[in-house]
Every structure is written in C-alpha cells, then in structure tokens.
Amino acid sequence: MTLITTDINLASEMLKNEDVIGMPTETVYGLAGNIYSEKAIKKIYEIKKRPFINPLIVHIKSLECLNKVAINVSESALKLANTFWPGPLTLILDKHSSIPDLITAGKNTVAVRIPNHPVALALLEIVNFPLAAPSANPFGCISPTSAKHVAEYFNDEISIVLEGGNCQKGIESTIIGFRNKQPILYRHGSISVQEIEAVVGKLEILTKNDSAPEAPGMLSKHYAPITETFLTNDVIEFIKKSPHKKIGLLLFKQEIDNQKIIHQEVLSKSGDLKEAASNLYAALHRLDKLNLDIIIAEQFPDIGLGKTINDRLERATKR
C-alpha cells in the first residue's frame, strides 16, 4: 500500500536507491526519479504507461545548476528563467551530453524547470541530482493535485508519496522553446501567453504533435476523465440534448438551475481564472467518481489562463 508521508529523508533515500516516489510541486504532483538512473526512468514510463516518444521534464534546484543539464542557453531563455524561476515555466533547451536519451525521447533538447514548492526544493537540495517528474497519473488521465490522488492511482506501484498539500497552481507548467531564436509556445500552462510575451515578445504557437512531440503535453488526447466528457459554449442547450442521462457539470462562475443535474462543480464564484485553474483537476476527479453518464464542461473565456483551461478541456474531451 502506498504511504503518504512528510518524511523527506525517507524520500531522498529511495531516490538515491534508484526508486520512484510521488513528489509535490506547485503545478501538479509528479512521479520523481533520478534522471541519471535508467532503472528509475524506465519505471516512471512503465507505471505511467507513457509512450517513450514523450519526453520528460528535468527539475533542478537552482539556476546555477542549469549548465549541468543544458548548453547554448540564449539571452531570451535566461530572461524567462530569471523572471519566472522558481515557478511553473519549463524551457526547452539544447541538452548537455550527460542527459540520457531516455529522458529526452532521443531528442537533442531537454525540458527544464525549477519548481516553486518548498518540499520539492528541499528534496532537490538533499538528493543533489536533478529529478524527472512527469505528472503522477496514468498516461492520459486527470492530473493529480493532491497526495491522495497519487496514492489512489498507484497504490502498491510506488511505495511513498511525499505530502505537500494541495497544489497551489493546479495546472501544469507553461512550456517554451526556441527555433532560430524565435520563442515558441509548446504547451499552455500556469503562466499565460501575455505574461511570457511581456518578457520575450510575440510567441509562435505550436501546441499539438501526436507523432513526435517536441515537449511534454503536446498529444491531442490527455488529462481525461474516465467518464465521457463534452466541452460546450452552451451548457443549457447541451443538457436538453441529453435526456435520461446522469449529468455532472463543470462550470466557471455559477451553478445552473436544473433539477436533473446530479452534481455541479463551480471553479470560481468570483470569476477568477487563476482560482479556476487551481481547482480544475480536483473538480474533475470528484466528478469522475460519481458514476455519471456524462460530464458537461463549460467553455471558458479565451483569455489569459482561460486559454490554458480550454486547452486542457479540449484534450480531455477529445474522443
């Protein structure tokens, strides 16, 4: 049975012994392993059932460690790192020769970030090696934002989950790469496009690739509940088209007055997109446990973090 614990020394010993643990970050919980351990990295891919074409994110403890995992770091990349690290920004950079191909899916680039969570940073300090930490969920499923989510997903497959509370951001990191010095958005995330563009200028958007993704999170079906889920800009009309169904709703600001609805999740009664993003996955987890016939998700305003929420819901509802 998977143990949820605050024992950071136990976690570090397991990582040093090439095992895999659940680790909190400010975005979502990750399945963490030593990037230099083939045994640990293979275990991450195996228990997640993650395709080996999908690269992993390397987590480092400080900006001073960047030159150990990446080379040829551009001025634009350093600007972004200095602005947003520690934090929910992942940079795609030319990889250092020491980085195993297993981490990067054979590519000559590596995804890197510094997490902004005290437990994750303390763990990175103790182990003194970078950690791969993709989201701690079976591939394609709803991302975990609590230690309990991780333990439920991987009961007996991992020994421990390090407790770090509910994730503050609740949605994955924004991923930025560069091509001919032009910044490219590979994944919408907890930092909005506008915030990134304020630092490095206009972004090229390239967020989907099912055959050879340059970065994590680019596959078109992902983050999905088991319950069939639909995304719509007219929830009331969609309810009318679904008679005799047990329906759950995922809504932005307010509930809908309809006696037929089994359960409704409102992500932010104040209309705060940051609050909505932080509540998204936890709400989907709750809905998915209710034995519903369908989940109907409301389309969010396509601005700021609304773009990120819509991106996740589009992937979750793709059939």
Side-chain angles (χ1 to χ4, degrees), residues 39 110-111 182 215 238 258 261 263 268 285:
K39 175 185 174 184
V110 61
Q182 167 68 31
F238 206 102
N258 190 310
I261 305 305
H263 184 74
S268 176
H285 277 283

Side-chain angles (χ1 to χ4, degrees), residues 44-98:
I44 288 173
Y45 275 104
E46 285 165 5
I47 66 176
K48 271 184 67 72
K49 297 179 174 59
R50 181 186 180 100
F52 283 95
I53 63 165
N54 205 3
L56 304 178
I57 296 175
V58 170
H59 293 68
I60 57 176
K61 65 181 181 180
S62 67
L63 192 55
E64 288 71 33
C65 295
L66 184 58
N67 63 2
K68 296 178 182 177
V69 297
I71 60 173
N72 305 326
V73 181
S74 69
E75 184 180 334
S76 293
L78 281 175
K79 272 187 185 178
L80 288 170
N82 282 310
T83 303
F84 296 111
W85 282 358
L89 172 71
T90 295
L91 295 175
I92 305 295
L93 303 168
D94 291 344
K95 76 173 184 178
H96 191 281
S97 59
S98 65

Side-chain angles (χ1 to χ4, degrees), residues 239-254:
I239 293 168
K240 290 177 184 176
K241 293 177 181 176
S242 310
H244 316 303
K245 298 271 190 184
K246 289 189 291 181
I247 298 172
L249 300 181
L250 183 76
L251 304 165
F252 181 20
K253 292 189 287 189
Q254 61 186 60

Side-chain angles (χ1 to χ4, degrees), residues 241-303:
K241 293 177 181 176
S242 310
H244 316 303
K245 298 271 190 184
K246 289 189 291 181
I247 298 172
L249 300 181
L250 183 76
L251 304 165
F252 181 20
K253 292 189 287 189
Q254 61 186 60
E255 289 191 355
I256 287 173
D257 186 15
N258 190 310
Q259 298 298 316
K260 295 179 181 178
I261 305 305
I262 302 293
H263 184 74
Q264 304 189 43
E265 289 282 347
V266 175
L267 298 187
S268 176
K269 290 182 179 178
S270 65
D272 184 331
L273 287 168
K274 286 187 178 180
E275 181 184 23
S278 72
N279 290 330
L280 174 64
Y281 290 142
L284 280 172
H285 277 283
R286 288 190 291 270
L287 286 164
D288 209 23
K289 290 178 178 175
L290 295 177
N291 196 31
L292 301 165
D293 292 324
I294 59 171
I295 298 168
I296 302 172
E298 179 180 24
Q299 197 154 22
F300 278 65
D302 202 36
I303 55 169

Side-chain angles (χ1 to χ4, degrees), residues 136-196:
N137 55 325
F139 179 71
C141 296
I142 307 167
S143 296
T145 54
S146 72
K148 185 181 177 185
H149 292 157
V150 183
E152 288 173 348
Y153 272 142
F154 297 113
N155 195 20
D156 294 332
E157 292 186 280
I158 58 173
S159 298
I160 69 164
V161 182
L162 201 51
E163 176 64 83
N166 293 331
C167 297
Q168 180 192 9
K169 299 296 184 184
I171 215 159
E172 292 82 1
S173 61
T174 303
I175 300 183
I176 301 293
F178 302 88
R179 185 182 296 162
N180 300 323
K181 298 186 178 180
Q182 167 68 31
I184 298 170
L185 178 77
Y186 286 123
R187 180 174 73 184
H188 289 282
S190 289
I191 301 172
S192 71
V193 169
Q194 290 91 330
E195 290 173 286
I196 300 290

